[in-house]
């Protein structure tokens, strides 16, 4: 296999409603899409780097720079036998996983299309539908939060995750438990707490949460080890797990009992699959996280979530929760049972809508 050329493209697309986390509120998404021509077959990838470096050190602009000035030169004119080899070609560049992951994923899509098979089968997936949950942003009032959760449950979603931050935590969880005593419920703090806050986090044990996601520092395994010793609620790590090595350390040290795997955060399907396998060997369940993706990123997440150890409902939900009009055909839909049917077509199994993508494009650069 050889990549003939790559097109980087920025689209701008507004969310249906602003999404608030402990860190900031997102309204307009700037999304970097990758089109890779691999031996004449086009594959698509979506870079999950955000507009700001507040979730990880990367942004859409650093990703563009790294892809154009460092990753493309490493890829250009190289012969390789499978998309599984691309991660290794990028080894010289440290970090910048979201930049790497978008190109790597596009090449996986192209390889699956070359072989006329679904990407999920090429990756080694085992299920034809995946369990879907939602991530509910921070709301202005308890009433608004309850209403939002009610809507998601009525749509069939199998588990509810709410974003929390200091001052918007215990009361919110308590109220949801009163209203919905038996639902699968969890919280995500996006690193909003410090070790000194442990007595407050300890109070969450009373509400039988499935897990608490990334309560402490984005790169601080040690503090999570100490916190997990004090909590009954399982800790799930998100931001902390950016490499297989970090995952191995987290497991060995007891920093978490569950891992949220995000394709972009770890650098593509190859490292995601390795972390998946490592967790499986160690008896930790995983689930597929989300980054407010448009359709192409969503489609890659669906393929990834078919691997056997993705046994918990993830954050991959319907296109219409975020977009008026998605960039793929068909859109991602969720059944009344809270499942997404895995597509059977070649590659990611959804077709990019070129007209729509072209309309949303604000800049484009072809690397050859
Ligand atoms: O921490 O999981 C997170 C969105 C942006 C950045 C980080 C996170 C999230 C979400 C949304 O929780 C998940 C989704 O795409 O639905
Ligand atoms: Mg998270």
């Amino acid at each position: 296999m050889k990549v003939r050329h790559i097109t980087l493209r920025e689209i701008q697309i507004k969310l249906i409603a602003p999404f608030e986390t402990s860190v900031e509120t997102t309204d307009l998404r700037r999304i970097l899409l990758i089109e890779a021509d691999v031996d004449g077959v086009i594959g698509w990838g979506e870079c999950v780097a955000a507009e700001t470096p507040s979730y990880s050190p990367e942004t859409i602009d650093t990703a563009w720079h790294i892809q154009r000035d460092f990753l493309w030169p490493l890829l250009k004119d190289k012969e390789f036998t499978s998309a599984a080899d691309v991660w290794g070609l990028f080894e010289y560049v440290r970090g910048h996983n979201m930049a790497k992951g978008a190109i790597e994923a596009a090449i996986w899509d192209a390889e699956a299309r070359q072989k006329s098979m679904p990407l999920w089968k090429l990756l080694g997936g085992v299920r034809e539908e995946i369990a879907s949950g939602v991530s509910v942003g921070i709301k202005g009032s308890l009433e608004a939060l309850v209403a939002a959760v009610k809507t998601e449950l009525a749509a069939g979603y199998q588990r509810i995750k709410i974003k929390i931050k200091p001052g918007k935590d215990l009361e919110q969880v308590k109220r949801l438990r009163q209203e919905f005593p038996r639902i699968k419920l969890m919280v995500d703090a996006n690193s909003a707490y410090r070790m000194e806050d442990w007595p407050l986090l300890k109070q969450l044990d009373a509400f039988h949460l499935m897990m608490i996601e990334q309560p402490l520092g984005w790169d601080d395994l040690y503090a999570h080890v100490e916190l997990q010793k004090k909590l009954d609620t399982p800790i799930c790590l998100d931001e902390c797990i950016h490499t297989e090595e970090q995952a191995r350390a987290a497991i060995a040290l007891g920093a978490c009992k569950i891992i949220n795997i995000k394709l972009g955060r770890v650098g593509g399907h190859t490292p995601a699959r390795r972390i998946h396998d490592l967790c499986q060997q160690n008896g930790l369940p995983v689930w597929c996280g989300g980054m407010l993706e448009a359709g192409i990123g969503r489609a890659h997440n669906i393929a990834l979530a078919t691997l056997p150890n993705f046994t918990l409902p993830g954050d991959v939900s319907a296109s219409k929760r975020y977009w008026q009009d998605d960039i793929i055909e068909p859109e991602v839909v969720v059944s009344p049972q809270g499942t997404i049917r895995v597509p059977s077509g070649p590659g990611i199994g959804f077709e990019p809508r070129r007209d729509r993508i072209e309309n949303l494009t604000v800049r484009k650069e072809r690397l050859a």
Side-chain angles (χ1 to χ4, degrees), residues 36-63:
D37 179 328
V38 189
D39 314 309
V41 175
I42 302 289
W44 288 82
E46 177 174 331
C47 183
V48 300
E51 300 73 31
T52 62
S54 61
Y55 166 85
S56 87
E58 294 183 83
T59 69
I60 173 173
D61 298 300
T62 68

Side-chain angles (χ1 to χ4, degrees), residues 55 135 161 163 188 190 213 238 262 290-292 315 322:
Y55 166 85
S135 175
K161 149 172 147 182
K163 295 289 193 180
D188 184 359
N190 291 108
E213 184 177 344
D238 174 355
K262 288 179 181 168
M291 292 289 290
L292 309 176
D315 274 349
Y322 291 114

Side-chain angles (χ1 to χ4, degrees), residues 218-331:
W218 75 277
D219 205 22
D220 191 351
L221 282 187
Y222 176 71
H224 286 99
V225 174
E226 293 303 303
L227 181 63
Q228 184 68 88
K229 285 182 196 158
K230 298 183 186 292
L231 302 185
D232 297 325
T233 307
I235 291 176
C236 169
L237 289 178
D238 174 355
E239 282 89 330
C240 272
I241 309 297
H242 30 82
T243 59
E244 187 184 357
E245 292 74 19
Q246 204 75 349
R248 187 173 290 114
I251 295 167
L253 298 169
C256 63
K257 295 179 179 169
I258 300 168
I259 288 178
N260 157 351
I261 299 184
K262 288 179 181 168
L263 198 52
R265 196 193 64 228
V266 303
H269 283 295
T270 297
R273 203 161 61 170
R274 286 206 202 134
I275 293 171
H276 161 277
D277 294 352
L278 178 75
C279 290
Q280 189 169 31
Q281 287 151 18
N282 286 277
L284 269 80
V286 302
W287 54 274
C288 186
M291 292 289 290
L292 309 176
E293 288 93 344
I296 291 164
R298 226 159 264 279
H300 277 284
N301 288 342
I302 292 169
L304 176 64
T306 65
L307 295 180
N309 194 38
F310 281 85
T311 53
L312 297 169
D315 274 349
V316 186
S317 58
S319 297
K320 70 171 185 206
R321 288 190 65 247
Y322 291 114
W323 317 112
Q324 196 76 52
D325 207 7
D326 205 343
I327 60 170
I328 50 166
E329 179 65 38
E331 301 204 333

